[in-house]
Amino acid sequence: LLQGRHDRNCRRGAHAQCHLAVVGPTAICVVIIGCMVIDGAFDAIVIADAAPALGISMVLSAREVAFIYYHAMLNNLLVNATVLFCVVYLTLAALALAFRSEPHHRPHFRVLVPVSLIGNSAYSCVIVPRYYKLRREATFDPAYFDGWEAVGVARIVAAVAILIGIRIAFPVLCDFAVSTSRKRA
C-alpha cells in the first residue's frame, strides 16, 4: 500500500529522481546500521561472556575486551562527530520532509513517528546511559556490564525501527523528489 505511489512514479519516468532522493538518507542509515552491527558484536561477546582469542600473552575477559573497545570508541572525536552528524542530518531531513510533504503522506508519518519514537527511546534510554558511564570511567569495573542483555535488546529494537523507517520514508522521499523536479520544469 505505502509502496504503490513510489512504483507509479518510477513507471512515469521519474526513476532517477527517486533514486537520487534516497541516496543521502540511505548512506546515513547504512553508517548507523554498520556501527550498530559492530557494537552488536561486542554486545554478543559480553552477553555470552566469551572473549575472543587475541593472540597476545595477556588473557582478557569478555568484559575487559568490550570495555577497551567501548572506552576507545566513545572517546574518539571522529566517532562522536559522525554520530552527531547522522543524528542532526536525519532529524533535520525528517522535519523538512514532514513540513513539505503533501497531505496524502500523513498515513506514512502516522506510522513513522511512533516507530521512530520507539527506536530512539530504546537507544536513548537504555544504550546512551551505559555509554555515558563507559565513556567517563578510566578504569575497568566488570559491574559496568551487568544486565548488558538490555543493551542488546535495545540495539535490536533501534535497528528494526531504522529498517521500518526506511521502508516507510523512501516512498515519501521519492514523491517529494518527483514533485520538486516537476515544479522546476
Side-chain angles (χ1 to χ4, degrees):
L1 175 67
L2 297 177
Q3 186 70 12
R5 235 179 137 69
H6 165 71
D7 292 340
R8 283 193 303 277
N9 282 335
C10 287
R11 282 194 295 273
R12 290 184 191 142
H15 195 72
Q17 286 92 350
C18 288
H19 290 282
L20 286 174
V22 300
V23 167
T26 300
I28 297 296
C29 290
V30 166
V31 168
I32 293 169
I33 294 289
C35 291
M36 292 179 83
V37 167
I38 293 167
D39 289 349
F42 283 91
D43 294 344
I45 289 169
V46 171
I47 293 167
D49 195 25
L54 300 173
I56 57 175
S57 59
M58 184 190 313
V59 177
L60 298 174
S61 73
R63 290 178 178 206
E64 288 171 320
V65 171
F67 177 78
I68 292 167
Y69 166 76
Y70 283 119
H71 189 71
M73 289 301 108
L74 296 172
N75 286 295
N76 183 287
L77 179 62
L78 180 59
V79 170
N80 288 304
T82 301
V83 169
L84 180 63
F85 171 77
C86 290
V87 169
V88 169
Y89 176 86
L90 287 178
T91 301
L92 294 177
L95 287 172
L97 187 62
F99 284 109
R100 297 175 78 182
S101 67
E102 298 175 17
H104 65 273
H105 290 130
R106 288 192 184 119
H108 291 83
F109 289 104
R110 283 189 200 115
V111 176
L112 187 58
V113 169
V115 166
S116 297
L117 286 172
I118 291 167
N120 288 333
S121 296
Y123 195 83
S124 300
C125 296
V126 178
I127 297 172
V128 170
R130 298 292 192 110
Y131 278 1
Y132 179 74
K133 188 173 201 170
L134 290 170
R135 181 180 184 183
R136 67 186 166 112
E137 298 297 334
T139 58
F140 171 73
D141 182 351
Y144 297 154
F145 296 96
D146 289 348
W148 201 258
E149 296 83 2
V151 172
V153 170
R155 194 175 313 283
I156 291 168
V157 168
V160 168
I162 290 170
L163 294 173
I164 292 170
I166 289 169
R167 178 67 176 97
I168 294 168
F170 282 7
V172 178
L173 285 168
C174 287
D175 278 0
F176 180 73
V178 170
S179 67
T180 302
S181 68
R182 286 184 186 148
K183 289 176 187 175
R184 289 181 187 158

